[in-house]
Structures are given as C-alpha cells and as structure tokens.
Amino acid sequence: MNDFIERLNACGVFPLRAAGIDILQMNITRRCNLTCKHCHVQAGPQRTEMMSRQTMAHCIQAAAHPRITTIDITGGAPEMHPDLEWLLGELAVLNKRLIVRSNLVVLLDPAYRRYLDLFAAHKIELVGSLPDHHAEKSDRQRGPGSFEGAVQVIRELNHRSYGLPGSGLTLHLVHNPVGAYLPGPQSALEGEYRRVLRDRHGLHFNTLFCLVNNPIGRYADYLKRSGNWSDYMHTLRCAFNLQTVSSVMCRTTLSIGWDGRLYDCDFNQMLDLTVNSGAPKHIADFDFARLAEREIVVRSHCFACTAGAGSSCQGALAD
Amino acid sequence: MTETYYEPRDLEDFANIGEDAPEAGRKFFDYYATATGAGKLTEREKALIALTVATVRHCPYCIDAYTNKCLSLGVGSDEMMEAIHVGAAMVAGDTLAHATQIRKIIRKKEM
C-alpha cells in the first residue's frame, strides 16, 4: 500500500471515486518546441508521439456526451499536431467549453501563427504557461528568451481581445514554482502577476492558475539531482489538506493519451497508470456510466494535488 | 556525531508547543496568524518583514520558513536581499546609535 492510500485510509476517504466526467482532457502530442525543466510530460522537439485521426474521432464522439461540458486539449505543444486545426473545427460544433493549453512561444513560429486567429475564431479558452513574472526566473525553467517570446504572444492575443474583460475571449496564465517550493496563495500571486505584467509590459489576462509541480518526469529528476527530493516530498505530505480531496480534478476528469488509452489524470498518464477497476481502458471503448464511477488510481505523487490550497489543471482548489 | 541542536525537523514540533500551556499556545498562534496574515500590508510585504527579522535574529527555522514563503509569493532574490540590507543597516545603526551613550559617559567622566 502506498503512503497516499494510507493517508486517505486514515482520513476515511479511501477509495477515491470519480464523481462523473465533466472534463475530457486530450493529450494529443508529446512534441514541443520547448524542453522545460519541470515538464512532467518530458515533452520536447525530439518526441514523436501524435494522436491519430481515428483516435481523435473516438474522442470527438465521446465528447458529444451531454454530461461532458469541457474539452481540454494539451500536450506537448498541441499547435505542433498537424491535425489540431481539423480537431478544433470538429469540436467547436459541439458548442462546449473548449480549452487549449499553449506554451505561447510556439505561436511565434510562422508555421503556427495562424492559430492566433483560429483560436479567436473558435472562441477557444487559452491556458498559457508563464511560470514566473520575472523574466530571468521564467527563462531558467523554459529556456533563454522564452519569457520575452511569451510577452510578445500575450500582446498579440490582447490585440485580438484575449484577456480583456467582457470580450468573451479568455486567457488564463499558469504559474508554477521555478524550484523546489510550493506556490503561494493564488489570489496574492494573481495580483502580483497582474500588476507586473500591466505596469512593465502593458499586458492583460483573466485568471492566474497556480500549479504545484508534480514530482514526476523531469521535475523528479531535478529534485533528485539537486538534493531536494526528500524535502519536497516531505513538504507535500505535511501540506496535505483533506478539504481538497473531494475536489481533486481526477474525480471529474478523464485523461486521454496520444494512443487513446485512458487515465485518471495527465500525471497518471505519464506514469503509465491507466484507469483501474475494470473500467474501459481505451477511448474506442468509451462507456460513460462505467467510467463515471471508476475508482481513481492513486500514488505518492497525488500529494501534489492535495497540498495546501490544492492544485489542478484549473489552478488552486481552495484559496 | 551528525546531530545538532538545530534540526530542520524540529520545526514540525512547533505546532505542539501549546501542549503544556494550551491557552497561551492557542492565543499565540491566533496572534501569529493575525499578525502575519494580509491586512493593510500584503502577505508579501509581511513575509519580507518576517524574513528580515528572522535573519537579524539569526533564527534558522524562520529563515528557512520565510525564504520559502517569499519564493512562494513570487518575491525575487533581489527583493529579499534589499530587505535584508534594511535589517543590516538597522543593526549597524542601532549599534552606532548606542555610541552616543559611550560619548555621553566619556563627556561626563573626562576632565
């Protein structure tokens, strides 16, 4: 039995079960133009994994289920998937909340610039990575020049009314710590981001999502290499907040890998932990009723989602 | 022997200091939370004050806790160092201001 199960057991909340499927999260590629030091996907330019059109078609079919309200497209850099344009067109017809997670700087590449207008045309909700509002810190995690690149892209998105109140075009930014510590309160950091980005760069956004770095993938390598692994895991365990357990994202999300396999979340996906308890394991066999009540597969890395104010792909769970 | 008086894990016991004096302990933690939480000053400003006091007072537990808190709140290392220089200047100024006591006694005693 792993220590997260022990903790849930001690609190009387094991097993953790799904409470429906609200969000269908599709990880369509592990290819990315960046090689960020914290990336749990270990994405990069050399990765070749791409979701096939057939698997995308299965996802679209599943996304049409009336109980699913949100389709969340992630990667890698989704823009680098040759079928993203087609996929967005098909999903837009469903008239549901449609999210694309972007590293922003990929949109500076002439090959992908068209997505600036395409996202706006489909009213895609954008979630853009910006780990820190200090250029130097952000670049330490994502590579030299990436902060300035992100600033340019946010400016272009603002010109298209993204991130402006009342425009209907939503731009969220994502903060995650550049090092072995937890993010502070989301409201405090959002205020700081808003002040710095507005005053120094003239930029606007809607919401800041604060994410706890999950101790897997490249971030786990960094923690071990820098001698921070045991302290970080200890910090996560000490910061366990029972109040976050009922709202962890895996309870209402179904994560789909590039090859169509099904997971409780993107972190479990990277650990190759497919859905459990006899629920269908591939999107081709999608069965809402069976998946909506599945038992969630949990391990020690789950402490990252229950630490402090909690953490999810939509930011903190409680502030 | 690797054991020292100051161990990072000691801080885990901090929450239990009220065990033998529950009322005082509870009042202290309530006060601590109020004093360090956001008010007219932001949590960020208060974290910098706390980090400066911790460093001036040479408290390794608080230096650890408030460096992490400052990082979590997006405080830059340059801002932390700027705050610490305020603390260092205050300590130097406080020391030198007491030289006036020396000067006062000298003036009284010397012919």
Side-chain angles (χ1 to χ4, degrees):
Chain A
M1 186 188 296
N2 67 64
D3 53 355
F4 193 75
I5 291 180
E6 280 173 23
R7 186 67 65 95
L8 295 185
N9 252 329
C11 297
V13 290
F14 182 80
L16 191 60
R17 286 199 173 277
I21 305 170
D22 186 27
I23 301 170
L24 207 60
Q25 189 174 62
M26 301 169 59
N27 192 318
I28 63 171
T29 179
R30 295 193 183 175
R31 181 170 293 175
C32 188
N33 56 320
L34 300 179
T35 318
C36 298
K37 286 181 185 167
H38 72 299
C39 185
H40 68 276
V41 179
Q42 306 195 73
Q46 311 306 324
R47 300 297 297 257
T48 55
E49 299 92 332
M50 296 273 177
M51 187 177 278
S52 69
R53 265 213 193 194
Q54 189 188 23
T55 301
M56 284 182 172
H58 288 308
C59 293
I60 295 162
Q61 207 172 3
H65 191 283
R67 300 279 292 279
I68 293 174
T69 65
T70 303
I71 302 115
D72 184 340
I73 300 171
T74 188
E79 295 92 336
M80 296 180 86
H81 194 299
D83 289 333
L84 178 64
E85 191 171 342
W86 172 80
L87 176 67
L88 293 179
E90 296 293 310
L91 289 172
V93 178
L94 298 177
N95 211 17
K96 300 192 176 197
R97 183 183 177 207
L98 191 47
I99 297 171
V100 171
R101 293 179 188 268
S102 174
N103 68 35
L104 300 173
V105 291
V106 71
L107 295 167
L108 289 174
D109 186 327
Y112 310 113
R113 285 190 62 76
R114 68 183 190 282
Y115 282 110
L116 286 164
D117 292 321
L118 210 138
F119 288 154
H122 285 312
K123 291 197 175 344
I124 305 290
E125 193 172 318
L126 287 179
V127 180
S129 306
L130 195 68
D132 204 278
H133 53 67
H134 294 102
E136 188 266 329
K137 279 186 84 171
S138 190
D139 282 0
R140 247 187 276 156
Q141 187 174 87
R142 302 213 304 158
S146 59
F147 181 85
E148 189 46 46
V151 163
Q152 279 184 50
V153 170
I154 295 171
R155 189 166 291 126
E156 294 203 40
L157 289 168
N158 284 168
H159 284 157
R160 288 163 175 80
S161 296
Y162 261 106
L164 305 185
S167 71
L169 292 175
T170 306
L171 171 63
H172 307 291
L173 296 179
V174 174
H175 160 81
N176 55 280
V178 185
Y181 54 91
L182 305 185
Q186 189 163 280
S187 56
L189 279 163
E190 182 178 294
E192 196 60 16
Y193 261 67
R194 205 175 290 290
R195 183 182 68 76
V196 172
L197 293 182
R198 183 193 58 221
D199 296 353
R200 291 192 199 156
H201 306 284
L203 302 179
H204 304 278
F205 65 96
N206 294 92
T207 317
L208 182 74
F209 294 161
C210 287
L211 268 62
V212 172
N213 285 319
N214 203 290
I216 62 171
R218 278 191 205 122
Y219 189 67
D221 295 340
Y222 152 74
L223 289 173
K224 288 171 186 166
R225 209 171 47 243
S226 62
N228 281 302
W229 173 261
S230 45
D231 271 359
Y232 189 76
M233 294 308 294
H234 183 73
T235 301
L236 291 181
R237 288 185 190 101
C238 286
F240 176 78
N241 179 358
L242 179 59
Q243 289 180 331
T244 63
V245 174
S246 62
S247 47
V248 282
M249 64 180 173
C250 51
R251 297 199 65 216
T252 50
T253 299
L254 184 66
S255 163
I256 307 161
W258 67 274
D259 56 359
R261 288 196 293 164
L262 303 179
Y263 306 87
D264 295 313
C265 71
D266 208 46
F267 304 122
N268 279 7
Q269 184 177 142
M270 298 313 144
L271 294 171
D272 217 16
L273 299 167
T274 51
V275 290
N276 205 347
S277 310
K281 291 181 188 295
H282 196 279
I283 193 65
D285 307 314
F286 180 75
D287 179 335
F288 186 92
R290 286 172 65 199
L291 286 160
E293 293 181 354
R294 72 192 186 277
E295 184 181 325
I296 306 294
V297 178
V298 295
R299 296 284 188 280
S300 296
H301 66 282
C302 301
F303 276 111
C305 292
T306 56
S311 180
S312 75
C313 289
Q314 312 283 326
L317 302 170
D319 206 18
Chain B
M1 173 171 145
T2 55
E3 211 176 331
T4 66
Y5 284 106
Y6 286 123
E7 298 279 356
R9 296 283 183 268
D10 294 344
L11 203 51
E12 287 163 30
D13 193 39
F14 185 48
N16 306 320
I17 56 156
E19 271 179 10
D20 295 318
E23 193 186 349
R26 183 181 51 75
K27 284 182 175 169
F28 164 75
F29 283 116
D30 285 349
Y31 168 69
Y32 191 93
T34 304
T36 58
K40 293 260 168 85
L41 297 181
T42 63
E43 201 173 350
R44 194 174 190 278
E45 289 164 333
K46 289 189 174 183
L48 274 169
I49 294 170
L51 179 65
T52 305
V53 173
T55 312
V56 167
R57 299 281 299 161
H58 301 170
C59 175
Y61 305 125
C62 300
I63 291 171
D64 186 354
Y66 280 97
T67 303
N68 273 287
K69 185 160 185 182
C70 283
L71 285 170
S72 293
L73 289 165
V75 179
S77 54
D78 52 347
E79 295 171 292
M80 285 186 241
M81 280 311 293
E82 201 172 312
I84 296 311
H85 275 292
V86 175
M90 288 300 294
V91 170
D94 170 281
T95 305
L96 292 172
H98 281 80
T100 61
Q101 302 291 326
I102 301 171
R103 289 162 59 79
K104 186 168 68 180
I105 294 166
I106 292 170
R107 276 198 299 271
K108 189 179 174 193
K109 296 284 180 175
E110 277 191 340
M111 291 180 84

